[in-house]
Amino acid sequence: MTASPIPLAELNACSKADFVAALANIFEYSPWIAEKAADARPFVGIAQLFEAMQAAVERAPPELRLALIKAHPDLADKTQRVAGLTLESNAEQNSAGLDRLSDAEYTAFQRVNNAYRARFGFPYIVCVRRHTKDSILRDFEKRLPNDAAAETATSIAEICRIAALRLDQAVRADDRLPVHGRLSTHVLDTHSGRPAAGIPLELVELSALGESRVIVRMTTNHDGRTDQPLIGGRPVPIGNYELRFTVAGYFAERNVALSDPPFLDVIPLRFAVAEPEAHLHVPLLVTPWSYATYRGS
Amino acid sequence: MTASPIPLAELNACSKADFVAALANIFEYSPWIAEKAADARPFVGIAQLFEAMQAAVERAPPELRLALIKAHPDLADKTQRVAGLTLESNAEQNSAGLDRLSDAEYTAFQRVNNAYRARFGFPYIVCVRRHTKDSILRDFEKRLPNDAAAETATSIAEICRIAALRLDQAVRADDRLPVHGRLSTHVLDTHSGRPAAGIPLELVELSALGESRVIVRMTTNHDGRTDQPLIGGRPVPIGNYELRFTVAGYFAERNVALSDPPFLDVIPLRFAVAEPEAHLHVPLLVTPWSYATYRGS
Amino acid sequence: MTASPIPLAELNACSKADFVAALANIFEYSPWIAEKAADARPFVGIAQLFEAMQAAVERAPPELRLALIKAHPDLADKTQRVAGLTLESNAEQNSAGLDRLSDAEYTAFQRVNNAYRARFGFPYIVCVRRHTKDSILRDFEKRLPNDAAAETATSIAEICRIAALRLDQAVRADDRLPVHGRLSTHVLDTHSGRPAAGIPLELVELSALGESRVIVRMTTNHDGRTDQPLIGGRPVPIGNYELRFTVAGYFAERNVALSDPPFLDVIPLRFAVAEPEAHLHVPLLVTPWSYATYRGS
Amino acid sequence: MTASPIPLAELNACSKADFVAALANIFEYSPWIAEKAADARPFVGIAQLFEAMQAAVERAPPELRLALIKAHPDLADKTQRVAGLTLESNAEQNSAGLDRLSDAEYTAFQRVNNAYRARFGFPYIVCVRRHTKDSILRDFEKRLPNDAAAETATSIAEICRIAALRLDQAVRADDRLPVHGRLSTHVLDTHSGRPAAGIPLELVELSALGESRVIVRMTTNHDGRTDQPLIGGRPVPIGNYELRFTVAGYFAERNVALSDPPFLDVIPLRFAVAEPEAHLHVPLLVTPWSYATYRGS
């Protein structure tokens, strides 16, 4: 993940051995998938490359698909962490905060791993970059009652999502895989009819079991937006969030008469993300005495 | 406070001794105020009775006014609590939660008491029924830099507010003292254009130092309102609040298509109360994808 | 209609002849209905009286019901107007503006009358107090394709609505028939967080064929409401309306900085009324740069 | 105006005579301004070219500036129209609708022309592309009481605005003069939390004296926006507008339960434009039972 991405043209032109070496861990410990895909070269784009890899998985015999599933680590497993996760797998688990679990969370994840493995004989697999800790546990509750066939299919689907994200980071092409979402905001001061500049805000990931976690702190620019999206260039993890704006100082600086204490100061907008690859816009329309928000796009 | 209120007519008709006995602690340990007021009988209403008592305070010589101030207990003082607060004073301090302070809060209150007493030679007096713990500490920060004359005046004003609230509870008349505020809400479902019935909500008093505290839990009725005001029949304490509505279940029951997890579920409205005697209305206009609030009346 | 209402007690106590005389025209030119109802005296309330009259209609043989239908005048018929409408019928038709039709409207109504009478052999009957001119014509388009049985039933239902409104005006009792609706508004200035007082507004009934008509002009009071409902004490006629608020002067008087010309001045809210007996609340939340409205209650 | 724009490089390179010929009517019948500017060649951009022309005007002696003012036609003058407006001037007056005045409007404009000319001895000049008929008359009322010095300055300023717009159309360069504004909208369906596609809308220019005029009819695209701005690539004329959305069909097609007639169908947003060169965004947030708008950007 730390290496700079390889141009697709290079992958199209290199030896099969180099191709396989470069993409060996796109699917966890499963270079055979890259091997199959190599035969379909050249690719006009990264989407076509990914399709070829996905096709290899889909056409593989059941034993091989099961082996692919079993090649994956348990979630948040401290033992495996010390031993040997792929670099990719380690970075992914950290992205969801699985490297800094509270004791209660660690216990919950252990329970999930064990219950799932006991029932299905393979690890609980989920594309963690698309999730928060809460939604991983929530999905588990939904998936545990399923039968083995359904969970095999779901595991393969999650593995493909993991692979798509790895491929997106490993290869550079003219096209992009649709693996990134975006979370943005906008503050409009409807008291003076202009964008609200200089509003401090923070995005917090809420957690049912552990501590809420500040994802980012920013300040609105002259257009009432943030210079960078709140979350961008990656999936927006499924989960519960609170976006907190601090507005009283903004109005006070503009000599707007406020009550003491001001009726509104920290304004929390609490919402859930359900589609990690979508663009979710959560704006704030605000006066010192009113506000509104909505799911925009 | 536990006794039922005395009719004003009875106070107008009884002996002076009985009158003074009945109103001895309207002003803390200061029956002389009731004595002065007794001479102005009969009163046409409770407002006139209160004016007479207030006038007695205002006309009293400085030493007596200072004695009145010094008759008051320190805030949240554990020693005095064991010894001898008036019943009235004890109930008032409990109303603001001063009987269940966290260690950090207790330390903060001790600091306030001591710093204030060291500077002015009399206790820090505030009408606690009009305040939350946070706003008591916040007001202290504002008042400490004042000079003695200003603080003497402020203390007397606070004492009169305390007295008005005690009188309101002690005496029944055709008129009422303007000592009560009201906090209300209303949930309008703008998705279906009707009041939102059956929405669970809770009102939380926020605290900078200690734990937030749930003041009340209610459910909206068929008119989208609560059967009782969130706070009513008393001052609405100055401070910071969060009103939390839980809306996803309401929409799900009506078969409205929601995302998973639902974009909106718990909706927190965070606001401050600045005028304890006013009617503050904080409504929610809500769809599964948007909401708005404003300071109404 | 101009006479003051008769107390129900009086109707309960008087001779049958007086009872029938008093209620002879509750159903147009059909005293036999009052006669039937007279036998059910005494009535505990006006609702029970109305039920007795309605039951008489429902139990009447088909010929009599048809005669009742045929006893009604054509809508907006200039010939009948000169000759002999009941006073009640005349006042009702005027309420919907049928006494001041434009030429295009008059032609449209003539067409309705003739087409309907040609098809069914009886006049087109609708409770005009519950309608605007537009909705009378709109309902006609819906009803004309019906069969005779359906239109007989609908005509009787409309006749009962007419009768209920006449009875409501003719008789005074402790209970009221549910024949009145209400249209109200409220202007909240979310720029300063208080009710907007002194806002001029007008309610206009829109017309597809003729001229729009100002129903009422009012100014908001200190509470941001109107002293009287926009429409009250009668059905709110089904139809299209525009409520127009003039807000720029309000903000200018409060020294709020506005653009030139002001971004918002006359704010039209266009909406339809569908339930004449309901309470419809159409508020305005407004700053100089934004506004919102919703169907409230 | 109909000729295609000349590249700035060409104007930098050509003979002085050709330069002057090309820009002779940028200032009405006043080629001397282009002549002065020619000496400052080459220009790095159109902004610098315009500055040079403006500087020539500013440095000209008073008599010449007055002659420039007098070179302009009366507004909406039918006689001059037949005779000899420049093509540019004719097109500009048509843009504001001055070629299709109602009788009342024509009379009003004649009054303006005559009153102004009688007072100042030169024609009433305004950059009509930045105005509606209403705002031309409104500005006249403001300007007529001014003294001659003020009106000379204002006339020159308006002439420079006219020239900037002509230059923008006549010359092509890498930079653009800041003479264009934009009016845009966006419809968000907050009932289903997505952009409202397929909403018909029309933009109407309101007129105090004459007929309102539909500027454009459009339908929202899949993103809830219009493919083209409502007004773009030119100044947004100062004046009063109504943007009308028709929404009931949109909700009905999506099987949303509506009242009959629907509470909301045609939604008019009435607003004024004050800054022709700004971007004004007037969105609609709408459910079948509520809507909101605001001045966005």
Side-chain angles (χ1 to χ4, degrees), chain B residues 16 30 42 50 61 80 108 111 125 135 148-149 165 199 212 214 220 228 241 246 257 283 287 289:
Chain B
K16 181 166 178 177
S30 302
F50 180 66
Q80 277 185 305
R111 186 179 62 82
I125 301 175
S135 71
L165 279 161
I199 299 278
S212 292
V214 175
T220 55
Q228 301 298 324
Y241 297 85
T246 303
T287 79
W289 312 103

Side-chain angles (χ1 to χ4, degrees), chain C residues 155-178:
Chain C
S155 297
I156 293 292
E158 290 293 316
I159 286 168
C160 287
R161 284 170 160 162
I162 296 168
L165 280 160
R166 290 181 181 179
L167 195 65
D168 171 71
Q169 298 205 6
V171 176
R172 191 172 72 239
D174 289 341
D175 61 332
R176 297 293 303 257
L177 293 173

Side-chain angles (χ1 to χ4, degrees), chain D residues 189-254:
Chain D
D189 164 6
T190 47
H191 182 270
S192 69
R194 60 189 166 205
I199 300 278
L201 59 89
E202 61 183 26
L203 176 68
V204 179
E205 179 191 317
L206 303 181
S207 169
L209 278 178
E211 291 278 304
S212 292
R213 185 163 70 98
V214 175
I215 305 291
V216 72
R217 285 195 179 84
M218 288 177 162
T219 300
T220 55
N221 58 24
H222 74 284
D223 196 32
R225 303 178 192 275
T226 55
D227 288 338
Q228 302 297 325
L230 299 169
I231 294 178
R234 61 178 177 101
V236 184
I238 297 167
N240 293 298
Y241 296 86
E242 207 167 85
L243 192 49
R244 294 180 192 141
F245 306 85
T246 303
V247 304
Y250 167 87
F251 287 115
E253 280 167 22
R254 280 153 188 80

Side-chain angles (χ1 to χ4, degrees), chain C residues 138 142 238-240 242 244 259-275 280-282 289-296, chain D residues 138 142 238-240 242 244 259-275 280-282 289-296:
Chain C
R138 188 169 164 276
K142 285 195 204 165
I238 296 168
N240 293 298
E242 208 168 85
R244 295 181 192 140
S259 59
D260 179 27
F263 179 61
L264 298 176
D265 188 10
V266 174
I267 295 181
L269 303 183
R270 197 179 294 185
F271 61 91
V273 168
E275 298 172 68
L280 178 59
H281 184 62
V282 182
W289 311 103
S290 65
Y291 65 91
T293 190
Y294 54 86
R295 186 176 82 158
Chain D
R138 188 170 165 277
K142 285 195 202 163
I238 297 167
N240 293 298
E242 207 167 85
R244 294 180 192 141
S259 58
D260 179 25
F263 179 61
L264 298 177
D265 188 10
V266 173
I267 297 180
L269 303 183
R270 198 178 293 186
F271 60 92
V273 168
E275 298 172 69
L280 178 60
H281 185 62
V282 183
W289 311 103
S290 65
Y291 64 91
T293 190
Y294 54 87
R295 186 176 82 158

Side-chain angles (χ1 to χ4, degrees), chain B residues 22 54 68 90 123 138 142 168 182 238 241 260 263 282:
Chain B
Q54 204 169 4
L68 171 62
N90 198 22
R138 187 169 164 276
K142 285 197 204 162
D168 171 73
R182 188 152 50 107
I238 296 168
Y241 297 85
D260 178 27
F263 179 61
V282 183

Side-chain angles (χ1 to χ4, degrees), chain D residues 49-81:
Chain D
L49 164 57
F50 180 66
E51 273 166 41
M53 298 185 87
Q54 205 169 3
V57 172
E58 277 157 19
R59 284 176 207 139
E63 320 80 71
L64 204 49
R65 291 157 64 90
L66 189 59
L68 172 62
I69 292 173
K70 290 188 172 173
H72 283 75
D74 278 350
L75 279 174
D77 187 320
K78 286 179 180 176
T79 323
Q80 277 185 305
R81 178 146 303 174

Side-chain angles (χ1 to χ4, degrees), chain B residues 33-112:
Chain B
I33 298 168
E35 252 169 72
K36 288 276 183 196
D39 301 336
R41 290 188 295 171
F43 300 109
V44 297
I46 192 171
Q48 201 187 35
L49 162 57
F50 180 66
E51 272 166 41
M53 297 184 86
Q54 204 169 4
V57 173
E58 278 157 17
R59 283 176 206 137
E63 321 80 70
L64 204 49
R65 290 158 63 92
L66 188 59
L68 171 62
I69 292 173
K70 290 189 173 173
H72 283 75
D74 280 349
L75 279 174
D77 188 320
K78 285 179 179 175
T79 325
Q80 277 185 305
R81 179 146 303 173
V82 174
L85 288 186
T86 58
L87 279 176
E88 288 83 351
S89 195
N90 198 22
E92 286 155 8
Q93 300 213 356
N94 295 356
S95 81
L98 302 189
D99 56 338
R100 48 180 183 281
L101 297 176
S102 70
D103 285 350
E105 289 170 336
Y106 185 74
T107 305
F109 275 91
Q110 287 290 83
R111 186 179 62 82
V112 162

